[in-house]
């Protein structure tokens, strides 16, 4: 998988070079003055290198100032011709790592686009990307929720769902500006996973890294990394995603077979992400009290303190959709 991604990066860089060459040909033909300026800038770069090696600080400063003036004039000429000022520079898919996958500006480790490529590969393997075609905010419909008051909450499921829906939209809108965590809980078939997918798609579309992890898969990876590490592909990277990804979605918490080790890992992931200010969404059929009973008061306390609880109520909307589809057919 890593080799496949590196081949993609190589292809992206080759495409960027071809695009830049084509743009330079276009610009030089349209604005000959820029070609002369680029040649001058190239020569001055060599002069700066020589001056630095010889310790001529004043010469370095003078040439650097001249370069800035030429660059500003170049940008003005591009703008005057109706082209963006970075038309000859902005050719990479990722301007941060220049399509290498790694940072070279003093930051350590992989670029966020590298992590997202890995996550996308996992999505492709699980066919989750196909899910987004049907499960997104555009296809979300409140009509499947009853407008009659729920016996337990005293609030109509449709009204409750409208509040949760608005909270989900707010979560998406503010993502990256402040750290928010959501806990969706309620019976099976009320739309928790659907809404998780809606949010995931929007956050991905905004360019952030997202990892959707059904609880069963998350716990299996944790267990395999502990006991069957040699059989796994990049176990450390898979575990690291749970901590470093910008949005982690843990779906169906409570359906997995858990042990003391996996419970400890879950708390560590949740707690670390809270401390690092990274957003997490958890969906579960369990109530807050049942979370305390099945896991620990310590985990329940962290969730209660740092997560916005959203209680889903009503009848199984999957059945309602199926009946509606059959009646339409």
């Amino acid at each position: 998988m890593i080799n496949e991604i590196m081949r993609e990066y190589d292809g992206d860089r080759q495409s960027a070079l071809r695009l830049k060459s084509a743009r330079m040909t276009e610009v030089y033909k349209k604005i000959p003055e820029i070609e002369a300026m680029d040649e001058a800038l190239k020569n001055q770069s060599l002069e700066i290198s020589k001056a630095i090696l010889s310790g001529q600080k004043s010469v370095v400063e003078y040439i650097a100032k001249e370069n800035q003036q030429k660059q500003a004039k170049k940008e003005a000429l591009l703008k005057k011709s109706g082209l963006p000022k970075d038309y000859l520079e902005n050719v990479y898919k990722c301007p941060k790592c220049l399509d290498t996958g790694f940072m070279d500006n003093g930051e350590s480790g992989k670029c966020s686009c590298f992590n997202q490529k890995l996550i996308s590969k996992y999505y492709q393997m699980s066919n989750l990307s196909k899910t987004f075609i049907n499960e997104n905010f555009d296809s979300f419909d409140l009509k499947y929720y009853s407008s009659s008051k729920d016996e337990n909450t005293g609030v109509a499921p449709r009204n409750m769902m409208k509040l949760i829906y608005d909270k989900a939209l707010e979560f998406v809108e503010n993502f990256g500006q402040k750290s928010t965590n959501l806990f969706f809980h309620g019976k099976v078939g009320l739309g928790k996973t659907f809404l998780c997918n809606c949010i995931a798609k929007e956050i991905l579309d905004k360019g952030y890294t997202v990892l959707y992890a059904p609880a069963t898969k998350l716990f299996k990876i944790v267990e395999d990394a502990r006991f069957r590490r040699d059989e796994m592909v990049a176990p450390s990277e898979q575990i690291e995603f749970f901590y470093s990804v910008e949005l982690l979605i843990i779906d169906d918490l409570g359906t997995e077979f858990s042990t003391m080790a996996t419970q400890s890992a879950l708390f560590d992931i949740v707690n670390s992400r809270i401390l690092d200010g990274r957003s997490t969404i958890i969906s579960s059929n369990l109530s807050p009290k049942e979370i305390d009973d099945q896991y620990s008061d310590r985990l329940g306390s962290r969730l209660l303190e740092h997560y916005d609880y959203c209680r889903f109520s009503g009848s199984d909307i999957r059945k309602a959709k199926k009946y509606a589809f059959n009646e339409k057919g």
Side-chain angles (χ1 to χ4, degrees):
M1 190 180 294
I2 301 296
N3 290 336
E4 184 181 346
I5 289 173
M6 295 313 296
R7 284 194 296 272
E8 287 181 11
Y9 274 121
D10 185 57
D12 290 342
R13 289 195 302 276
Q14 294 301 319
S15 296
L17 289 174
R18 288 193 295 271
L19 176 60
K20 185 170 185 177
S21 178
R23 286 185 176 183
M24 287 175 70
T25 301
E26 173 197 352
V27 169
Y28 290 170
K29 185 177 180 180
K30 189 175 183 180
I31 320 169
E33 187 178 352
I34 287 184
E35 183 175 10
M37 291 174 66
D38 278 350
E39 188 63 31
L41 286 167
K42 190 188 301 181
N43 292 333
Q44 284 187 322
S45 294
L46 293 173
E47 291 178 24
I48 284 181
S49 298
K50 291 177 183 178
I52 290 173
L53 291 172
S54 60
Q56 298 176 296
K57 186 177 178 181
S58 59
V59 174
V60 172
E61 292 175 350
Y62 175 78
I63 296 175
K65 187 175 181 180
E66 269 200 339
N67 278 355
Q68 288 179 352
Q69 291 172 347
K70 283 187 173 68
Q71 189 62 40
K73 187 176 180 181
K74 179 180 170 182
E75 291 176 359
L77 287 170
L78 287 168
K79 185 177 180 181
K80 187 177 179 180
S81 297
L83 297 171
K85 66 179 183 180
D86 60 351
Y87 188 64
L88 296 176
E89 307 299 330
N90 187 23
V91 294
Y92 296 99
K93 288 184 178 179
C94 180
K96 291 188 292 183
C97 71
L98 306 183
D99 295 345
T100 64
F102 296 86
M103 305 302 292
D104 60 357
N105 61 349
E107 297 181 48
S108 61
K110 301 180 184 70
C111 182
S112 59
C113 70
F114 187 101
N115 290 331
Q116 191 58 63
K117 279 181 180 288
L118 272 175
I119 291 168
S120 296
K121 295 295 181 186
Y122 291 128
Y123 277 158
Q124 290 169 18
M125 289 168 62
S126 63
N127 292 320
L128 188 60
S129 55
K130 294 180 181 178
T131 301
F132 292 152
I133 297 174
N134 299 313
E135 299 190 5
N136 51 67
F137 281 113
D138 290 336
S139 60
F140 192 94
D141 198 334
L142 288 170
K143 73 179 181 182
Y144 294 106
Y145 295 88
S146 172
S147 58
S148 301
K149 285 187 179 181
D150 183 271
E151 294 180 0
N152 297 316
T153 65
V155 180
R158 186 175 299 177
N159 294 341
M160 182 71 76
M161 202 59 229
K162 178 64 169 63
L163 293 174
I164 296 173
Y165 177 85
D166 290 342
K167 187 177 287 291
L169 289 177
E170 182 183 2
F171 179 92
V172 169
E173 184 178 347
N174 295 328
F175 195 87
Q177 301 173 38
K178 65 177 183 178
S179 175
T180 310
N181 306 295
L182 300 174
F183 186 89
F184 296 160
H185 67 101
K187 295 184 299 182
V188 174
L190 297 181
K192 300 186 298 296
T193 298
F194 191 106
L195 195 55
C196 284
N197 289 336
C198 292
I199 295 172
K201 181 184 184 303
E202 292 298 319
I203 300 301
L204 280 168
D205 288 347
K206 291 180 75 169
Y208 293 99
T209 54
V210 178
L211 179 58
Y212 172 93
T216 50
K217 187 171 184 178
L218 183 152
F219 279 72
K220 185 178 187 306
I221 290 173
V222 169
E223 285 285 313
D224 286 350
R226 189 179 184 201
F227 299 110
R228 288 183 287 277
R229 194 174 187 85
D230 294 341
E231 302 172 23
M232 297 178 68
V233 178
S236 297
E237 288 181 343
Q238 291 188 49
I239 294 295
E240 175 58 26
F241 282 154
F242 297 137
Y243 293 89
S244 63
V245 71
E246 288 165 306
L247 173 60
L248 173 64
I249 299 176
I250 304 175
D251 196 21
D252 278 339
L253 183 66
T255 58
E256 76 291 337
F257 175 77
S258 63
T259 64
M260 290 296 292
T262 53
Q263 288 180 23
S264 176
L266 175 64
F267 176 81
D268 189 49
I269 290 168
V270 168
N271 192 52
S272 294
R273 292 184 63 81
I274 290 171
L275 295 175
D276 292 341
R278 299 186 186 279
S279 294
T280 308
I281 299 175
I282 297 175
S283 82
S284 177
N285 301 334
L286 303 177
S287 67
K289 174 66 169 60
E290 290 169 328
I291 289 288
D292 289 349
D293 294 339
Q294 182 158 326
Y295 298 97
S296 66
D297 292 343
R298 190 171 62 147
L299 176 64
S301 176
R302 297 300 275 164
L303 296 179
L304 192 62
E305 183 180 357
H306 295 280
Y307 281 64
D308 287 339
Y309 273 70
C310 302
R311 180 179 178 179
F312 288 59
S313 62
S315 303
D316 191 327
I317 62 168
R318 283 184 293 201
K319 290 180 181 178
K321 287 183 178 181
K322 185 176 180 180
Y323 294 148
F325 178 79
N326 290 336
E327 287 178 4
K328 187 183 293 184

